[in-house]
Amino acid sequence: MARSPSSLLSRICCATALGLGLLSSPVFAQTGNTDAMQVEKKELRAPKVIFFDVNETLLDLTAMRSSVGEALGGRDDLLPLWFSTMLHHSLVDSTTGRFHTFGEIGVASLLMVAEIEGIELTKEQAKTAIVTPLRNLPPHPDVRDGLQALKDKGYKLVSLTNSSNKGVYTQFKNADLLSYFDERLSVEDINLYKPDTRTYEWAIEKMGIEAEDAMLVAAHGWDIAGAKQAGWQAAFIARPGKVLYPLALSPDTVVSGLDELVSQLPKAK
């Protein structure tokens, strides 16, 4: 499908802004400042479907932080640059009409960072540093009980991730999370990365609901920004080091874990 120059320029500008914002944020920091997240409390509506981001939202990335830092010669200070480079180039793929898996972009971005810093790193070493730990990430402590509590309240739970279909299946299987989800959605099926609003439009179309009946749960400000722009409710999980994008639409709630979200949501209708 051909894109108009103005539409393409708008998406490129959005991607650039997101990339610049991430470069200055503590993406992989171990501690965060949630005091600055002053979000007006809203009464949450019962959504028909709750969509979940996966990496960092549900799964703990500590093991991957360690392996990527080791691949970069112990330069843990380069982790935010690697992650922002990966996200930036996923949006480059979306705006240029190309597509590579998030794993492929992650490896390419790690090689780019290594080249910039003069660190010797082969493609196989980069792949091992990312893919091996990514398959076996443990869930955060609040996740299993929180997901079960949401299921007990009658909610339909669906994952919506930039990772591949095979990748998220493997992650959920190894983390023992498969049984909690009614469906798993990957941007691999539409070749467009979050936070492109078309990914959220596609997700609700797949589930047969309207935007106002959807809620996203995510620990990334850029993901919350995309969901809110698409007309969804959104809950930001303030995982350590994660902050909101202050120029985006605000989430409907900020919580420290899924247990807190469960307490705020009414029973599903």
Side-chain angles (χ1 to χ4, degrees):
M1 181 185 297
R3 299 188 179 99
S4 68
S6 61
S7 174
L8 181 59
L9 178 60
S10 174
R11 294 186 185 281
I12 291 173
C13 289
C14 178
T16 302
L18 283 165
L20 290 173
L22 281 163
L23 281 171
S24 61
S25 70
V27 178
F28 277 93
Q30 294 299 312
T31 58
N33 179 12
T34 58
D35 292 339
M37 300 177 190
Q38 299 299 323
V39 176
E40 181 183 351
K41 290 291 184 181
K42 304 174 183 178
E43 185 175 347
L44 299 180
R45 305 187 311 275
K48 291 183 178 178
V49 178
I50 302 179
F51 295 86
F52 286 85
D53 176 55
V54 175
N55 294 314
E56 202 110 65
T57 300
L58 299 175
L59 302 179
D60 187 346
L61 292 183
T62 299
M64 195 170 73
R65 289 191 189 98
S66 299
S67 65
V68 170
E70 290 172 8
L72 293 172
R75 292 284 306 277
D76 289 355
D77 60 302
L78 295 176
L79 294 174
L81 176 59
W82 167 66
F83 189 81
S84 60
T85 300
M86 178 169 61
L87 181 60
H88 177 90
H89 287 88
S90 71
L91 296 179
V92 168
D93 264 20
S94 290
T95 56
T96 58
R98 293 173 58 82
F99 185 82
H100 301 87
T101 67
F102 213 40
E104 290 174 321
I105 297 173
V107 169
S109 298
L110 191 56
L111 290 170
M112 292 169 69
V113 172
E115 183 177 354
I116 291 169
E117 297 296 324
I119 299 170
E120 291 188 10
L121 184 67
T122 67
K123 184 176 180 179
E124 283 305 310
Q125 288 172 328
K127 185 176 180 180
T128 298
I130 296 170
V131 176
T132 302
L134 192 61
R135 291 171 176 166
N136 295 285
L137 298 174
H140 287 289
D142 60 288
V143 167
R144 287 198 185 98
D145 287 347
L147 292 175
Q148 186 58 58
L150 289 171
K151 296 291 288 183
D152 291 343
K153 279 194 167 185
Y155 284 107
K156 179 176 288 189
L157 309 183
V158 176
S159 60
L160 177 60
T161 176
N162 278 344
S163 298
S164 67
N165 286 300
K166 181 179 179 181
V168 75
Y169 171 82
T170 302
Q171 287 182 307
F172 277 5
K173 182 179 180 181
N174 291 339
D176 195 23
L177 296 182
L178 282 173
S179 63
Y180 297 104
F181 288 89
D182 298 277
E183 193 159 346
R184 300 180 305 276
L185 300 182
S186 165
V187 301
E188 182 181 37
D189 292 333
I190 54 167
N191 292 357
L192 286 169
Y193 281 100
K194 297 186 296 178
D196 190 309
T197 54
R198 289 171 292 179
T199 62
Y200 307 95
E201 292 163 2
W202 166 77
I204 59 173
E205 183 178 350
K206 285 281 289 183
M207 300 309 299
I209 62 172
E210 300 297 326
E212 59 266 26
D213 296 321
M215 170 180 278
L216 177 74
V217 179
H220 301 287
W222 50 266
D223 207 355
I224 295 294
K228 288 301 297 180
Q229 196 65 37
W232 293 20
Q233 285 193 100
F236 180 71
I237 296 190
R239 299 297 186 197
K242 298 304 172 188
V243 296
L244 289 164
Y245 176 41
L247 300 183
L249 295 173
S250 296
D252 297 274
T253 187
V254 172
V255 296
S256 59
L258 287 186
D259 50 345
E260 190 176 344
L261 177 62
V262 171
S263 69
Q264 294 182 19
L265 280 170
K267 288 186 177 180
K269 296 179 179 178

